[in-house]
Amino acid sequence: MTQWINTTHDWAASVDRDHLGAIRADAERYAPGGVLHLVLEVLAYADDEAESAAQRGQCTVTLHEDGSISIADNGRGTDTRVDEHGNVVKKPVMATKDLRFFDDPAAPMLPDGHPRRGMSVVAALSDWLIHTNRRTNGSWTQRYEHGIPVTDLEPVASDGTTGTTVHFLSDLPYADVAPYLGFSHLDVGVVRLG
């Protein structure tokens, strides 16, 4: 993996416990406004993907009865590769820092007016998070608790689509996401179950 180019995350490590712990220790700094900010962090990745593909992306935010939220997009899925030993390795977006934004004082602002930090903020501040990743070369899911993977990548049956679903539960306060869904390359719908 050392020959893999690091653009958004460092492929050499799958978990950065110190990084995740620092986020949990200062939730107000990294997720001002609570769950709303977490949703926007996830949507920003889908927006990036749509922009890089020069297309309009589609995304659905689902508010579940148990208080959890899932965000599903129709992108190509999180980068997943096979290492020299034949093991499937997913880009460590959930449990390591985003090299572009996390420590950058000039990080772009999300629609809530707060800086973008990356997906690790979402994972670290969630009681649990399930990342389901559908690509043309396979589909996998993985569960995290407070940002730490608690399962390996588990294959799931292909349904003929590509994209990413991030489903999480956080005890941070919730605010209505609808007024903040203005992304340049993404159409977002909100569904409330129950």
Side-chain angles (χ1 to χ4, degrees), residues 31-53:
V35 170
L36 167 63
H37 190 79
L38 302 183
V39 170
L40 297 177
E41 289 278 11
V42 178
L43 289 172
Y45 275 84
D47 190 61
D48 286 348
E49 172 115 3
E51 180 180 19
S52 71

Side-chain angles (χ1 to χ4, degrees), residues 5-88:
I5 296 171
N6 297 328
T7 54
T8 64
H9 293 79
D10 186 348
W11 285 88
S14 61
V15 179
D16 183 341
R17 290 176 184 271
D18 291 341
H19 168 70
L20 296 168
I23 295 168
R24 286 194 301 275
D26 200 355
E28 181 54 36
R29 175 181 178 196
Y30 295 112
V35 170
L36 167 63
H37 190 79
L38 302 183
V39 170
L40 297 177
E41 289 278 11
V42 178
L43 289 172
Y45 275 84
D47 190 61
D48 286 348
E49 172 115 3
E51 180 180 19
S52 71
Q55 63 186 23
R56 193 98 188 131
Q58 303 295 317
C59 207
T60 302
V61 177
T62 303
L63 310 174
H64 297 269
E65 287 185 66
D66 64 357
S68 67
I69 297 175
S70 60
I71 300 137
D73 69 53
N74 68 339
R76 63 186 170 171
T78 305
D79 194 358
T80 307
R81 302 175 184 181
V82 177
D83 70 13
E84 64 275 10
H85 305 291
N87 300 313
V88 176

Side-chain angles (χ1 to χ4, degrees), residues 3 9 41 52 58 63 73 100 118 123-124 128 148-149 169 182 190-191:
Q3 74 276 15
H9 293 79
E41 289 278 11
S52 71
Q58 303 295 317
L63 310 174
D73 69 53
R100 302 166 298 169
W128 55 261
I148 307 294
L169 178 68
V190 178
V191 174

Side-chain angles (χ1 to χ4, degrees), residues 112-128:
D112 62 357
H114 298 292
R116 185 173 177 189
R117 304 287 189 196
M119 292 289 282
S120 59
V121 170
V122 183
L125 297 176
S126 294
D127 296 343
W128 55 261

Side-chain angles (χ1 to χ4, degrees), residues 57-184:
Q58 303 295 317
C59 207
T60 302
V61 177
T62 303
L63 310 174
H64 297 269
E65 287 185 66
D66 64 357
S68 67
I69 297 175
S70 60
I71 300 137
D73 69 53
N74 68 339
R76 63 186 170 171
T78 305
D79 194 358
T80 307
R81 302 175 184 181
V82 177
D83 70 13
E84 64 275 10
H85 305 291
N87 300 313
V88 176
V89 180
K90 180 185 69 184
K91 186 190 293 186
V93 297
M94 296 296 169
T96 65
K97 93 174 49 170
D98 189 307
L99 301 172
R100 302 166 298 169
F101 309 124
F102 191 80
D103 293 320
D104 185 354
M109 296 295 165
L110 292 172
D112 62 357
H114 298 292
R116 185 173 177 189
R117 304 287 189 196
M119 292 289 282
S120 59
V121 170
V122 183
L125 297 176
S126 294
D127 296 343
W128 55 261
L129 181 150
I130 299 169
H131 182 199
T132 303
N133 183 35
R134 296 184 180 281
R135 290 180 62 85
T136 57
N137 65 336
S139 301
W140 303 269
T141 190
Q142 189 166 31
R143 182 183 171 99
Y144 299 78
E145 293 177 4
H146 301 288
I148 307 294
V150 295
T151 66
D152 292 329
L153 276 179
E154 298 173 351
V156 294
S158 173
D159 65 1
T161 66
T162 60
T164 303
T165 301
V166 176
H167 187 182
F168 68 93
L169 178 68
S170 175
D171 62 4
L172 293 178
Y174 174 78
D176 185 18
V177 300
Y180 300 94
L181 299 179
F183 284 87
S184 300

